[in-house]
Amino acid sequence: MGKSWASGSRNSLRLMDEMKREKNIKMFRFCWKYMHAALFVTGVLTFGFLDAFTAVLMIEKYGISAEFNPLMRVLFLTQGSVGFIVFKVVAAALILYTPFLLYKREPMNWTTAGFLSVFAVSGAVAAMNNYFFLASGQVWIDPVIVIGAVLVMVVVALQIGEIMDSSAQKKMFRISDEKWERMKLEMKYPE
């Protein structure tokens, strides 16, 4: 009777451990999912809308030559301010959606978060740069430097994210020594 009680108790503890583990995994996925969504929205807001809106204000005050990008100048001239803003927001959303297409194949939590963070921050810097130029008439940071910094930050964020994701993947599939010993006992593995 004592032996069956002990094995029942071990089974109960094992079941509770598995339930806790499943709950932690669900919470982990939930947090990453909403963090990625928040970074996506922030990136579209800063990199898309705020940068475009401040650029429109800048163009209206100083003329079309205030816009650094020649493609965006032509777009502004042909489509107006509303078309300019809509194009910039849609382009930002499409660029920032790219990691989510790749994310479905394998978990890339850190890589995706790093990529989205770079665009959220760089959009805020670009909008502040536009606003500073709008307010003072002087360029705070040269647009070539901003573009170069964004490209470098994207490469660095992707590399760091890949390293973090690969180390997290290795930890997920590692079996602890205690769990291995318990599995050997359950399978009646010879010593």
Side-chain angles (χ1 to χ4, degrees), residues 148-165:
V150 169
L151 293 175
V152 169
M153 287 190 310
V154 166
V155 170
V156 169
L158 292 177
Q159 290 298 315
I160 291 172
E162 189 175 328
I163 291 167
M164 296 290 288
D165 285 334

Side-chain angles (χ1 to χ4, degrees), residues 26-157:
K26 286 180 183 178
M27 181 59 76
F28 178 76
R29 288 182 182 151
F30 176 80
C31 290
W32 275 113
K33 179 181 174 183
Y34 283 101
M35 185 176 73
H36 285 132
L39 286 170
F40 176 80
V41 170
T42 304
V44 171
L45 180 67
T46 60
F47 186 70
F49 179 74
L50 288 178
D51 184 31
F53 182 72
T54 55
V56 165
L57 295 176
M58 194 173 61
I59 290 169
E60 288 175 351
K61 184 173 182 178
Y62 293 109
I64 195 67
S65 62
E67 174 58 42
F68 175 73
N69 188 338
L71 175 66
M72 298 307 280
R73 283 187 218 149
V74 172
L75 186 69
F76 185 84
L77 289 173
T78 58
Q79 302 301 315
S81 59
V82 174
F84 180 84
I85 292 172
V86 168
F87 176 81
K88 185 84 166 139
V89 168
V90 169
L94 290 174
I95 290 168
L96 296 178
Y97 188 70
T98 304
F100 295 111
L101 296 173
L102 301 172
Y103 186 69
K104 291 179 182 176
R105 291 186 185 171
E106 63 183 60
M108 298 179 354
N109 294 325
W110 289 102
T111 306
T112 305
F115 181 81
L116 294 172
S117 297
V118 166
F119 282 97
V121 170
S122 64
V125 169
M128 286 188 293
N129 196 25
N130 290 347
Y131 183 75
F132 187 77
F133 180 68
L134 181 67
S136 69
Q138 296 178 359
V139 176
W140 179 41
I141 303 172
D142 187 24
V144 174
I145 293 172
V146 173
I147 292 169
V150 169
L151 293 175
V152 169
M153 287 190 310
V154 166
V155 170
V156 169

Side-chain angles (χ1 to χ4, degrees), residues 16-29:
M16 287 175 50
D17 285 343
E18 289 298 319
M19 288 173 53
K20 283 182 186 177
R21 185 172 181 264
E22 286 295 319
K23 183 179 176 183
N24 289 341
I25 289 172
K26 286 180 183 178
M27 181 59 76
F28 178 76
R29 288 182 182 151

